[in-house]
Amino acid sequence: MSWAAGLNVFEKDLTLLARERLQAIAAADVVVEAVRAQNRVTASYDQARIGELDAVWRDEVASGSRALIGEVLDRPVSRYLAQMQEASEGLFTEIILMDGRGLNVGISQATSDYWQGDEDKWQKIVPVGPQALHIGPLEEDLSTRTVQSQVSLPVVDPQTGAVIGALAIGVDVEEI
């Protein structure tokens, strides 16, 4: 796997974690099938449509409404991701599954936005290829008093070998 270097003293540990545990999550049938299904719907979306959906999501976050957010959270793939987060016993702080356009397919918990396509977690994965790995910088979460890094890797269609989406996992580096 190749990866984009950032100033993160945990890069080796996070790369090993990606190879040993995170790739299995990205390759799970429920993950691959969910991305395939959403790509069939969103492949034709233009940037205006993506912006509209992202605005709806952000409005829901601000208002506490949950129509679109709830629909995504209720998906089987989101329940799977939430189970993976829970099973990590604090190692994973969030899991976000994105389609080929950078839109949320599944989430372990609500995110601040719907479109991730303008962020490194998608941009340094989907256009790069099946061997991509991005280790984000260390970030301190003041609310949880944790230091975390986001690890992103591709979701690869096992039939074609093509990157069809991305998976980003927040990792509490103090739990490695």
Side-chain angles (χ1 to χ4, degrees):
M1 266 197 166
S2 63
W3 45 276
L7 296 177
N8 187 330
V9 297
F10 294 94
E11 282 181 357
K12 287 183 181 179
D13 293 327
L14 292 168
T15 299
L16 186 60
L17 177 68
R19 288 186 181 135
E20 291 181 349
R21 290 180 65 184
L22 307 184
Q23 281 183 328
I25 297 170
D29 289 343
V30 65
V31 168
V32 172
E33 289 305 321
V35 174
R36 279 182 183 150
Q38 183 159 310
N39 281 343
R40 285 190 290 274
V41 174
T42 62
S44 64
Y45 287 8
D46 61 13
Q47 198 58 45
R49 178 68 176 138
I50 290 169
E52 289 170 11
L53 290 167
D54 195 47
V56 167
W57 188 282
R58 289 173 186 263
D59 287 347
E60 288 184 11
V61 169
S63 70
S65 171
R66 296 288 182 176
L68 180 57
I69 294 171
E71 189 271 319
V72 174
L73 279 168
D74 286 342
R75 293 176 181 169
V77 72
S78 290
R79 289 192 294 274
Y80 169 76
L81 297 176
Q83 289 170 352
M84 293 298 99
Q85 181 177 339
E86 186 175 325
S88 79
E89 298 180 342
L91 180 61
F92 304 154
T93 59
E94 69 176 341
I95 306 174
I96 304 168
L97 177 62
M98 299 152 276
D99 67 12
R101 302 302 308 264
L103 296 168
N104 291 345
V105 175
I107 50 178
S108 63
Q109 60 195 33
T111 59
S112 60
D113 56 354
Y114 184 57
W115 185 53
Q116 314 299 326
D118 60 341
E119 299 177 33
D120 284 350
K121 70 183 100 193
W122 187 89
Q123 290 182 346
K124 295 190 182 266
I125 298 300
V126 173
V128 175
Q131 298 303 313
L133 176 65
H134 176 70
I135 308 290
L138 293 175
E139 297 177 354
E140 185 175 5
D141 184 336
L142 297 175
S143 64
T144 61
R145 296 185 183 268
T146 60
V147 177
Q148 49 193 355
S149 178
Q150 201 163 68
V151 179
S152 303
L153 58 157
V155 175
V156 177
D157 187 317
Q159 295 174 349
T160 66
V163 176
I164 59 173
L167 184 74
I169 300 177
V171 177
D172 180 345
V173 296
E174 295 170 356
E175 296 291 326
I176 294 178

